Amino acid sequence: MAPQTININYTPNKRLSLIDADTGTPLYHVKVSRQTPQMEMIRLGPEPSQEQPSFPADEETYFASRVSTAQFALTSLNVKLRIRDYRDIELKRKSILSTSYLFTSPALSAAAARMMAPAVLCWEADNTNNTVGDFQLVVDATNDSDRKVLVRFCNQSFSNERVGTFELDSGLDQLVKDEAVISGLAMLAMVQSINLAGMVMFKGG
């Protein structure tokens, strides 16, 4: 199966709407502000219907049921993630001068529990097409053969309408997709997207 492509669009009210590129179905809605946690992401349910729309009229109630969050601190290069019931997941910069970010995947670690080793994922620069600003999420491993690419981020340069796109491996579990999206957006705010960083630092609620 082909990878799933997700467009990361800015909304008129300066939030983010993540939409399936093939079907046009809204998948995630992300509120970004300077209030802690600065990113609040909810994964939308099935395709909206007249009886059950995707965007409730009461936004406060809508975001109270958020799925995942990212919390930034001015004094730290790291980001604290919450993914559903998993709290205090550290998205950690590999080194001070690096643009790579690591985190332990709750979903993949649970699946690999028998191996008694946590599954660490790494966002790193993707030099496949020699395009500045592209990243890939890989399984962090010593052997190159084990460094499977799970997600690619393709940068949308000089656009005020779109951050870029995520290309997700077709075999990913839904929880892993949630982890990839919230960690990817947090990583972009830290090292790649001036617009996202500005929303985190300066945008009101």
Side-chain angles (χ1 to χ4, degrees), residues 184-200:
L185 293 175
M187 176 275 300
L188 292 172
M190 292 297 289
V191 302
Q192 194 266 1
S193 174
I194 295 176
N195 283 344
L196 276 183
M199 291 166 70
V200 166

Side-chain angles (χ1 to χ4, degrees), residues 5 20 62 72 79-80 86 115 123 137-138 143 148 152 162 181-182 184 190 196 198:
T5 300
D20 187 287
Y62 177 66
F72 302 80
V79 184
K80 185 180 294 184
Y86 298 95
M115 300 175 62
W123 279 105
L137 181 65
V138 302
N143 298 324
K148 180 182 179 182
R152 294 186 188 277
R162 181 172 297 168
V181 171
I182 190 63
M190 292 297 289
L196 276 183

